Amino acid sequence: MKKYDYLIVGGGLFGAVFAHEMKKINKTCLVIDRRSHKGGNVYCENIEGINVHKYGAHIFHTNDKMIWDYVNQFVEFNRYTNSPLANYKGELYNLPFNMNTFYKLWGTITPSEAKEKIRSQCENLNITLPKNLEEQAISLVGTDIYEKLIKGYTEKQWGRDAKDLPAFIIKRLPVRFNFDNNYFNDKYQGIPIGGYNKLIDGLLEGIEIKLNVDYFEEKYELDALATNIVYTGKIDEFYQFRFGELEYRSLRFEHELLELDNFQGNAVVNYTEREVPYTRIIEHKHFEFGTQNRTLITKEYPDEWSLGKESYYPINDIKNTEIYKKYKILSETEENVIFGGRLAEYKYYDMHQVIASALTVTKKIQK
Ligand code: FAD
Ligand code: UDP
């Protein structure tokens, strides 16, 4: 008899949802994480009363009422709506691309004028089926917006030419012919009141968790503890990189506590020109409408990924997709290992998608 039904490698959202659902059906779980805290990338550190998103700004959004109700069981969400600004060489534009952006850029007043402007910028380019991010972006918003608000940001974020990136990345951003600055199209959106740690604490309540434990350093002993493994780390690492390393984009965060109450008047300001080395400045207090006397800002610098650095964004280009497929096929032969989450599935998942993915797996087990 093994001590646990499940050893869960990774205390991020996937691992926490999985553990919570198993507890409901009286399965025993041990969660381990190599970091010194639970929550994975949604972890926040409270500094001077401000919840600081330590691994990048996280805004919860979903169209799925079931997922929204699910997270609301654990924590109440505020009415925060993400409406970032783009700073291009000192000029400010509203995001996502909407009538406010078009007005600022071209002085267009009506949707027809804006559509005509975009059409005229695309007409001689012969883009029928966009093959890459550059073509996709230009066909959606024209060359002016591409040059000022997309190209520089994208190329520093990904460390690649926009022609070498998949088109789907830019389709994350809405293009609207109205004056709506909401970054997301989803019905439900907000920030957990009191921070994301409350969500994670709620999910992991009553579940055994060991921190600062790296699965690969004690694999033999850990595997012996449980009948099944749920693995939410990097899939290539699980297989000792036998088909090669999957590439990621990493990030570096610079946090500054400032002796002023309001630095930029908004939670997120993107810096879209290539020359500014960071992609965005986050002012965390605005996520929770904070009234503290001081403020904490974070500059987010894209970073070349190498082994040992945090793997933030999977690079879902053709080369890496081919490598991932090989790992995926191998993973399907495992009888007692479940692979889930952003790293194990090598997917550019948002939080609601990770939760949905974990619930799909647990529902099968619960049946
Ligand atoms: P993770 O949170 O990465 O958790 C995996 C855990 O496994 C980690 O804690 C890691 O330490 C642990 N682990 C890995 N290997 C081992 C090992 N060998 N041994 C022990 N432990 C191990 N989503 C949104 O919906 N809205 C947003 O605004 C948003 N913003 C984001 C901003 C940034 C900069 C990033 C990077 C992501 C953002 N996301 C956002 C996505 C969101 O972070 C993820 O969808 C979600 O947190 C992934 O959860 P996970 O459990 O799959 O992975
Ligand atoms: N993007 C851009 N300019 C911006 C914001 C985003 O060109 O001001 C592009 C960029 O390629 C980015 C992608 O849109 O990687 C997706 O942006 P999103 O805000 O969804 O990225 P995330 O929050 O996941 O970093």
Side-chain angles (χ1 to χ4, degrees), residues 9 32-34 211-219 222 237:
V9 181
I32 58 160
D33 204 297
R34 56 161 62 134
L211 300 171
N212 303 305
V213 176
D214 190 320
Y215 177 56
F216 298 109
E217 281 173 14
E218 301 169 38
K219 187 171 183 309
L222 288 164
E237 192 175 7

Side-chain angles (χ1 to χ4, degrees), residues 4 22 95 118 219:
Y4 302 97
M22 288 305 102
L95 292 174
I118 294 172
K219 187 171 183 309

Side-chain angles (χ1 to χ4, degrees), residues 222-275:
L222 288 164
D223 283 349
L225 292 175
T227 315
N228 303 286
I229 314 289
V230 175
Y231 179 77
T232 75
K234 286 160 36 141
I235 190 163
D236 53 350
E237 192 175 7
F238 187 89
Y239 288 113
Q240 294 97 45
F241 309 100
R242 71 178 70 168
F243 302 126
E245 283 168 20
L246 287 166
E247 289 173 300
Y248 286 87
R249 196 67 182 146
S250 199
L251 297 171
R252 189 169 57 79
F253 298 104
E254 253 178 40
H255 307 286
E256 287 171 58
L257 184 63
L258 304 177
E259 294 298 330
L260 56 138
D261 67 337
N262 192 357
F263 172 72
Q264 60 186 16
N266 205 35
V268 184
V269 178
N270 292 356
Y271 285 77
T272 57
E273 77 228 54
R274 186 68 192 84
E275 293 70 28

Side-chain angles (χ1 to χ4, degrees), residues 142-162:
T143 46
D144 286 351
I145 292 186
Y146 176 68
E147 291 296 334
K148 286 194 167 185
L149 304 183
I150 298 176
K151 186 175 163 55
Y153 185 102
T154 295
E155 295 189 349
K156 65 182 161 178
Q157 164 73 0
W158 295 98
R160 284 162 170 72
D161 196 291

Side-chain angles (χ1 to χ4, degrees), residues 66 95 113 143 151 162 165 167 232 284 301 318 339 349 353:
M66 188 275 286
L95 292 174
E113 284 170 32
T143 46
K151 186 175 163 55
L165 286 163
T232 75
H284 300 264
Y301 293 82
I318 296 168
F339 293 81
Y349 269 150
Q353 294 165 314

